[in-house]
Structure formats: structure tokens, C-alpha cells
């Protein structure tokens, strides 16, 4: 019997995986094997088949193999249909430059040993004359792919987004694309194996509040309930204690230069994985049964059955 190539968990994450995700250590290998057998038989779907990747989807679906099948299908279907967002991924000079702005970073310490990961978007660092929202979303998707494979807290306990809108350029609002926001919401809910536990907005100017309200309306009811707008950092501290925030936000969870350096190091070291990713996806001409198109995927009705997020 082949050795199971899944990273061992710390005690806190083991407890969460067992109690909340229905993980049974002695069955992990069999569950992965069952998922791999199904994937091998799908004529339209070419997926990664390694243990660490597949266990992320099993955990993200609380070990429902049927839901994991659907989620992986969504994952590659949406990626194939949106090459402008997911295609030709690599940490090139452009992505490295974006990373070094500090617009989007991952914080090293999760919200407790077995808690969710924390990510920070700071739009005061975003120059819409140099960068576009699409480029920022592409960069966020690079980090997501890294997390699926490497961040056990993110996969098992979910993640929290902090979005700082202070000093946000008004020209940033001109790049707001409702369709893209909706598609990202569908991907987060239907395809990504990590659970979004909360989006916390801070330093929100009046000009952005209408955009936030509209963005929220495009999300599912469950995602809408995870939107929080804080008037001050003190309000944010009630949800995310200071110790889990960067030094620049009154915390001790790294300085922004350290976070930028760490995020860049993680992603650059993963370039081979990103390059390999281009071979995976779906071929709708080979899909058994009803084909999937953009309208059915992102509209009210879809060919996939509706999956709830936790």
C-alpha cells in the first residue's frame, strides 16, 4: 500500500478536522482513493490527483465524496471558463511588483492555533493607474492556489479577509465590475475548498459604501451574513484581537515589510506548481450529459446542483 502523502496536522487542527469536518484518520487514504478513481473516469475533467490536493477538497466538503466531486468539477470548470483570471499563472515580474506594493498579504499567525487564516487587503497601496482590479484578483488567486496545497488552517478552519479602504483612490471605483465580483463570489462559494469565515472592512469612506452594499447584494445569503463594516480599528479588535494583526494595525503579527517578503517567498517558490496547473481543466465537448456555459454557471439556474457553504 502506497504511503499517504498528506502533511501531518497539529493537535488543534486535528481536533477541528475530526469534530467539524468528519475526518477519520484511518479512512483518509480510502477516501482519497475513491475520489481519485472517480476523477480518472471523467472524460471531460483533468485534475491534479496527488494526496495533498485531494484531501483539501475532502476537508472542504466535510468528507462528502459527492460534494467533493462537484466542487472539483466547479473548480476546474470556472478556471477553464475564465482564463483572464486563472490562466497562465506564474509569479512574473508583474506579480512580484504587485506583491511588493503590500496591497494583498497573508498574515503568518492564524486566529488561534486551530483557527482560520487571516489575509489583509490594503487599497491605500493600490494605484489604479498602474494596476487593475483584474490583476489584483489574479494575484489573489495565486495565493489561493498556494493555500489549497500549503495552508492547513485555511483549508480546515477557513479564512478571514480584512479589507482596509483608507486613502482609497476614487478612480479605483471606476474599475468596479459587478459581473466579475459576482463570478468571484460564485467561485468562493462553489469551487474553492476553503470556507470564507468573514470579510471585515475598515476605514470605509462614504464613496465606497454604496459599492460595498451593491457587492454584498450579489453574494449568497450566507456570504452576506459574513460582511462586517467597522468604523474604527477598536471595532475590528472585538472580532480580531490585536495580537493577530500587523504591527501597523496595533498588533504583533509581523510588520508589513515582513509580510510582503514572506508572501513573495511563498509564491515564487511555487512557480513550478503554477506552471503545471495550465495542463488541468475541463473540455466541455467531452462532458457527459448537459454542457455547462457561462449563463448556467453564473446565473440563477445552473447545471450543477446548489451546494451550501458551511
Amino acid at each position: 500500500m502506497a504511503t499517504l502523502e498528506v502533511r501531518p496536522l497539529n493537535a488543534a487542527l486535528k481536533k477541528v478536522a475530526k469534530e467539524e469536518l468528519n475526518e477519520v484518520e484511518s479512512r483518509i487514504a480510502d477516501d482519497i482513493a475513491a475520489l481519485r478513481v472517480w476523477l480518472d473516469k471523467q472524460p471531460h475533467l483533468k485534475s491534479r490527483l496527488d494526496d495533498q490536493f485531494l484531501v483539501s477538497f475532502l476537508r472542504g466538503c466535510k468528507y462528502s465524496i459527492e460534494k467533493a466531486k462537484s466542487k472539483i468539477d466547479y473548480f476546474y470548470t470556472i478556471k477553464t471558463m475564465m482564463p483572464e483570471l486563472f490562466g497562465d499563472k506564474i509569479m512574473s515580474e508583474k506579480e512580484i511588483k504587485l506583491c511588493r506594493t503590500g496591497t494583498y498579504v497573508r498574515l503568518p499567525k492564524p486566529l488561534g492555533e486551530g483557527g482560520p487564516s487571516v489575509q489583509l487587503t490594503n487599497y491605500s497601496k493600490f494605484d489604479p493607474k498602474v494596476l487593475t482590479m483584474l490583476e489584483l484578483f489574479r494575484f489573489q488567486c495565486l495565493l489561493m492556489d498556494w493555500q489549497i496545497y500549503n495552508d492547513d488552517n485555511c483549508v480546515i478552519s477557513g479564512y478571514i479577509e480584512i479589507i482596509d479602504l483608507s486613502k482609497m483612490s476614487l478612480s479605483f471605483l471606476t474599475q468596479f465590475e459587478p459581473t466579475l465580483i459576482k463570478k468571484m463570489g460564485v467561485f468562493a462559494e462553489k469551487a474553492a475548498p476553503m470556507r470564507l469565515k468573514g470579510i471585515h472592512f475598515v476605514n470605509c469612506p462614504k464613496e465606497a459604501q454604496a459599492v460595498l452594499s451593491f457587492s454584498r447584494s450579489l453574494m449568497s445569503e450566507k456570504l452576506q451574513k459574513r460582511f462586517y463594516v467597522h468604523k474604527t480599528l477598536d471595532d475590528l479588535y472585538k472580532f480580531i484581537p490585536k495580537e493577530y494583526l500587523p504591527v501597523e494595525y496595533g498588533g504583533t503579527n509581523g510588520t508589513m515589510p515582513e509580510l510582503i517578503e514572506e508572501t513573495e517567498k511563498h509564491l515564487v517558490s511555487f512557480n513550478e506548481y503554477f506552471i503545471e496547473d495550465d495542463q488541468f481543466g475541463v473540455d466541455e465537448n467531452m462532458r457527459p450529459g448537459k454542457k455547462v456555459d457561462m449563463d448556467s454557471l453564473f446565473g440563477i439556474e445552473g447545471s450543477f446542483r446548489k451546494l451550501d457553504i458551511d
Side-chain angles (χ1 to χ4, degrees):
M1 185 175 178
T3 303
L4 183 65
E5 296 185 8
V6 171
R7 197 169 36 252
L9 302 175
N10 64 40
L13 283 175
K14 273 188 180 181
K15 186 172 187 292
V16 175
K18 179 181 178 180
E19 295 179 359
E20 297 184 18
L21 306 183
N22 307 312
E23 182 162 293
V24 179
E25 281 192 71
S26 61
R27 288 212 315 257
I28 294 176
D30 288 341
D31 290 334
I32 289 174
L35 189 54
R36 187 181 289 117
V37 166
W38 179 82
L39 287 167
D40 276 335
K41 294 179 180 178
Q42 303 312 302
H44 69 292
L45 175 58
K46 187 176 182 182
S47 166
R48 288 186 177 275
L49 299 174
D50 48 291
D51 294 344
Q52 190 67 56
F53 178 81
L54 295 182
V55 80
S56 292
F57 283 85
L58 287 167
R59 287 167 171 167
C61 296
K62 297 187 177 181
Y63 279 85
S64 164
I65 292 179
E66 292 308 308
K67 285 188 176 182
K69 292 174 184 177
S70 291
K71 183 149 285 201
I72 292 176
D73 204 333
Y74 268 121
F75 183 79
Y76 284 115
T77 299
I78 294 176
K79 283 192 167 194
T80 301
M81 287 187 173
M82 298 184 68
E84 72 278 11
L85 198 58
F86 297 104
D88 298 319
K89 292 183 307 181
I90 192 172
M91 275 294 283
S92 66
E93 287 301 316
K94 180 185 288 187
E95 281 72 28
I96 290 173
K97 182 178 179 181
L98 193 158
C99 183
R100 290 176 180 174
T101 67
T103 301
Y104 191 69
V105 293
R106 171 185 176 271
L107 305 190
K109 187 165 66 174
L111 197 63
E113 192 176 3
S117 294
V118 185
Q119 292 152 201
L120 171 66
T121 304
N122 186 341
Y123 281 117
S124 70
K125 308 293 185 182
F126 182 86
D127 184 354
K129 295 177 183 176
V130 178
L131 301 168
T132 66
M133 282 300 298
L134 184 63
E135 287 170 336
L136 177 59
F137 283 156
R138 279 181 60 88
F139 180 76
Q140 290 173 331
C141 291
L142 283 172
L143 183 57
M144 175 202 68
D145 281 336
W146 181 89
Q147 288 172 310
I148 288 172
Y149 210 87
N150 297 283
D151 190 339
D152 295 321
N153 284 79
C154 190
V155 170
I156 292 170
S157 298
Y159 64 100
I160 292 170
E161 295 275 5
I162 302 169
I163 300 178
D164 185 351
L165 297 172
S166 63
K167 301 177 183 176
M168 183 185 69
S169 168
L170 293 181
S171 58
F172 158 78
L173 296 178
T174 65
Q175 295 194 27
F176 176 75
E177 296 182 41
T179 302
L180 182 58
I181 297 294
K182 182 175 183 179
K183 288 177 179 177
M184 290 292 288
V186 170
F187 185 84
E189 181 176 353
K190 305 291 189 182
M194 305 95 73
R195 295 169 292 164
L196 176 60
K197 307 297 279 191
I199 304 178
H200 297 265
F201 294 91
V202 294
N203 301 320
C204 183
K206 291 180 180 179
E207 296 84 356
Q209 289 178 10
V211 175
L212 283 184
S213 296
F214 186 63
S215 297
R216 186 173 179 270
S217 72
L218 297 173
M219 303 298 176
S220 70
E221 185 177 347
K222 284 188 177 180
L223 286 179
Q224 287 184 32
K225 290 178 180 177
R226 295 173 189 184
F227 269 58
Y228 304 89
V229 180
H230 305 290
K231 292 183 179 179
T232 66
L233 283 178
D234 286 334
D235 288 338
L236 177 66
Y237 297 154
K238 296 173 185 176
F239 292 84
I240 306 173
K242 285 183 180 182
E243 66 184 284
Y244 300 109
L245 295 170
V247 170
E248 290 81 356
Y249 288 78
T252 55
N253 200 1
T255 65
M256 288 304 296
E258 290 169 346
L259 301 179
I260 291 168
E261 182 179 359
E262 189 74 4
T263 300
E264 179 181 336
K265 182 180 73 174
H266 285 321
L267 296 182
V268 169
S269 69
F270 219 51
N271 259 345
E272 185 176 332
Y273 182 98
F274 295 141
I275 293 169
E276 288 175 356
D277 244 17
D278 280 339
Q279 68 182 285
F280 303 114
V282 299
D283 181 348
E284 284 304 319
N285 293 323
M286 300 290 289
R287 182 187 293 275
K290 187 178 179 181
K291 311 307 179 194
V292 178
D293 58 27
M294 295 288 276
D295 289 339
S296 65
L297 192 55
F298 297 111
I300 297 174
E301 297 296 327
S303 61
F304 294 101
R305 63 188 176 83
K306 182 174 176 59
L307 299 178
D308 287 331
I309 59 170
D310 174 60

